[in-house]
Amino acid sequence: MPIFTRRVRALAVTLAATAGLAVPMPAQAAPSKAFVALSDVAPSILQDIRYDTRHNFVGRRIDGYRQPLCILTRQAAEGLRKAQAELLRQGYTLKVYDCYRPQRAVDHFVRWAKDLADEKMKAEFYPDVAKDRLFADGYIAEKSGHSRGSTMDLTLVRLPPPFQRPYVPGEPLQACFAPRDQRFPDNTVDMGTGYDCFDPLAHTDNPAITGTARQHRDLLRSTMAAAGFRNLPEEWWHFTLNGEPFPDTYFDFPVSRGSLH
């Protein structure tokens, strides 16, 4: 992309943010120096970028994910580095499932949700939710805070990280809220449900989550809060940086190192 074009688009983002406008940005690159690869800031954080794979609620690689890469605003990445330092002292590491999410990926989710015949991943991710309720119940929306670059989905892994086998497309699916030893064998600690579980049990403070899983949720939330992040109450894995730098801008550059400059 020509340097002049990049500068014009970066200026448009700044002006939109200043004016409080919600502006989708079709640019093929992130604003200069505003976004970073998390691995360059906090390389010890594990990455399992599910939307770059077929192991997600759609069942295919999502539009806009060209590499299994966590991209965040620089401020959000630095906040995660702080949280990671605290968790390492306690014998844990963070693992991210999703970070910046381009608008085209959100649009993919919306198209999928409207196709009521496509339920191939229902048994794992939304076994008790009718697909025609996904919008009304708030599981799918036309905008996502992830597209602003300072929201991420993450969990905890006990050190040293256990082996995690790859997902095999077409393998039998288990409900995301089944007992831990019956769910997909993620190498994370028990959080009471798997990632992207469309169920009330995924609500951070659901009283049915007790014991070790409750302790893990509380540890993740308190550590992230101390590092400057707030949790989405409906999803134990979802956090947003307080004072995010682009609160009203929804970006659409692809998830790729080539988008960073």
Side-chain angles (χ1 to χ4, degrees):
M1 181 186 298
I3 292 175
F4 175 75
T5 303
R6 280 190 238 161
R7 288 175 176 169
V8 168
R9 284 178 172 164
L11 178 60
V13 170
T14 302
L15 292 175
T18 301
L21 302 176
V23 179
M25 294 298 292
Q28 296 301 303
S32 181
K33 298 182 180 180
F35 285 75
V36 297
L38 178 63
S39 58
D40 292 342
V41 176
S44 65
I45 295 178
L46 304 179
Q47 299 193 27
D48 182 4
I49 308 300
R50 291 288 185 87
Y51 300 141
D52 189 64
T53 75
R54 294 167 67 180
H55 189 203
N56 56 63
F57 59 84
V58 175
R60 59 182 62 90
R61 190 182 191 187
I62 304 303
D63 291 354
Y65 286 81
R66 298 181 182 175
Q67 289 181 271
L69 182 68
C70 173
I71 293 175
L72 291 168
T73 61
R74 186 175 300 276
Q75 296 93 323
E78 291 172 351
L80 284 191
R81 179 172 58 188
K82 179 180 178 181
Q84 176 74 343
E86 175 57 32
L87 289 167
L88 289 175
R89 287 193 285 270
Q90 300 184 54
Y92 296 93
T93 177
L94 290 170
K95 180 169 86 166
V96 291
Y97 290 117
D98 192 40
C99 299
Y100 159 74
R101 181 186 306 165
Q103 181 61 45
R104 71 192 73 182
V106 179
D107 295 343
H108 191 171
F109 293 163
V110 170
R111 291 194 306 273
W112 166 82
K114 292 178 179 178
D115 180 3
L116 300 183
D118 183 355
E119 294 189 329
K120 64 183 175 182
M121 302 301 283
K122 177 177 174 61
E124 178 173 353
F125 293 97
Y126 54 108
D128 287 352
V129 181
K131 194 172 183 185
D132 62 5
R133 292 290 307 173
L134 293 181
F135 286 105
D137 291 352
Y139 293 113
I140 300 292
E142 295 185 353
K143 293 290 183 184
S144 170
H146 284 271
S147 301
R148 303 193 300 261
S150 295
T151 292
M152 68 291 304
D153 298 336
L154 42 66
T155 188
L156 299 174
V157 175
R158 174 67 80 171
L159 294 172
F163 170 76
Q164 179 178 316
R165 71 164 177 82
Y167 167 73
V168 179
E171 70 175 79
L173 301 176
Q174 301 297 328
C176 56
F177 50 70
R180 186 172 184 267
D181 61 355
Q182 297 176 28
R183 301 194 301 263
F184 176 78
D186 200 329
N187 65 353
T188 67
V189 301
D190 187 13
M191 288 289 191
T193 75
Y195 169 57
D196 259 356
C197 190
F198 295 0
D199 190 89
L201 285 174
H203 295 185
T204 309
D205 286 322
N206 189 303
I209 302 301
T210 60
T212 302
R214 166 55 52 202
Q215 294 171 14
H216 291 151
R217 288 192 186 190
D218 291 346
L219 173 61
L220 178 61
R221 179 170 53 181
S222 63
T223 304
M224 292 293 289
F229 296 88
R230 64 186 182 276
N231 173 242
L232 179 68
E234 291 77 20
E235 299 178 349
W236 60 256
W237 55 81
H238 180 118
F239 291 85
T240 298
L241 179 70
N242 297 325
E244 57 185 304
F246 299 105
D248 301 297
T249 305
Y250 296 82
F251 296 93
D252 193 39
F253 57 86
V255 177
S256 166
R257 273 206 174 266
S259 297
L260 303 174
H261 55 90

